[in-house]
Amino acid sequence: MAQNKNKMMLVLLFTAFAVPVLLAKLALEFDYFNKASTNKGQLLSPVIDTSSFYTLEQPSWQIAYFHKGECDASCDNAMYSLSQVWSALGKHRDRVTPMVLHSQAKALQQQLAQYPVLKTKQLEASVLEQHQQYLQSETGVYIIDTLNQAVLFYPVTADKNETVMIARDVLADLRKLLKLSRIG
């Protein structure tokens, strides 16, 4: 009787540990739950190597706005967002360079004057067209790491309220990246 009781206790103990492991394995195999993701932007896979577009003298994190053509409401919203995100970084501002990469300097001159914190780099239209297959769209905001690799993408819209929400997402992702990175 005592031997049966010991065997029963051993089976119950084994079951108590084995069943949760088995259930977790099944949940992973059959995707019974949403996998967690903490980034708010679109993760680029594979990453885009921007060193063929341009390089900075001092390696740093970048929030870059790629723009091709005339500056419309979405362009103005993107530049406003970049300057606000950079300002909101506070003590980490020196680790991030806000960039506007464009193909037409004259088209952006008036808007760029309103945002003196933004660095600009004019790219040849042919360079942008050549790398258009890698970019998510003709315009958009990218977070670029210290190795000149664009890792996250955010769309740009003409709606001011939606742009503010996207800027919050950029700021949240950038703060996480800066917290985890000791480089730049």
Side-chain angles (χ1 to χ4, degrees):
M1 181 86 165
Q3 194 173 16
N4 285 343
K5 190 175 182 182
N6 288 339
K7 285 183 183 179
M8 183 65 105
M9 198 58 106
L10 186 61
V11 168
L12 285 175
L13 186 65
F14 177 75
T15 305
F17 287 103
V19 169
V21 172
L22 183 63
L23 289 176
K25 173 79 170 145
L26 289 173
L28 284 173
E29 295 261 335
F30 296 108
D31 289 328
Y32 286 133
F33 63 93
N34 295 334
K35 294 181 177 149
S37 174
T38 59
N39 59 302
K40 299 180 185 309
Q42 180 183 349
L43 190 62
L44 300 176
S45 181
V47 295
I48 301 168
D49 184 16
T50 61
S51 60
S52 59
F53 301 154
Y54 71 98
T55 54
L56 295 177
E57 293 174 15
Q58 187 90 7
S60 71
W61 285 88
Q62 301 163 55
I63 42 177
Y65 172 57
F66 281 81
H67 182 73
K68 184 178 173 185
E70 296 294 319
C71 193
D72 54 2
S74 63
C75 167
D76 195 42
N77 287 342
M79 287 194 267
Y80 174 75
S81 295
L82 284 184
S83 65
Q84 293 300 307
V85 166
W86 185 78
S87 296
L89 286 172
K91 67 180 182 179
H92 297 292
R93 280 188 282 196
D94 58 337
R95 296 177 64 192
V96 178
T97 304
M99 295 286 297
V100 176
L101 305 165
H102 56 87
S103 62
Q104 297 178 358
K106 290 180 183 177
L108 298 177
Q109 239 172 6
Q110 185 178 3
Q111 283 81 3
L112 287 171
Q114 297 175 24
Y115 308 108
V117 298
L118 301 179
K119 310 285 187 253
T120 63
K121 178 73 175 167
Q122 183 170 354
L123 304 174
E124 295 294 324
S126 61
V127 171
L128 278 177
E129 288 172 12
Q130 178 184 2
H131 294 286
Q132 196 68 39
Q133 62 188 357
Y134 302 115
L135 301 176
Q136 298 293 316
S137 67
E138 288 192 2
T139 63
V141 174
Y142 293 83
I143 292 181
I144 301 172
D145 67 9
T146 57
L147 300 173
N148 290 325
Q149 296 177 341
V151 291
L152 289 168
F153 170 76
Y154 305 86
V156 179
T157 65
D159 181 24
K160 189 83 165 177
N161 292 330
E162 196 173 332
T163 303
V164 168
M165 298 309 289
I166 291 169
R168 286 181 182 173
D169 293 345
V170 172
L171 181 61
D173 285 345
L174 195 55
R175 282 185 173 155
K176 284 180 201 166
L177 288 169
L178 291 172
K179 184 178 179 181
L180 295 172
S181 170
R182 294 196 172 128
I183 303 171

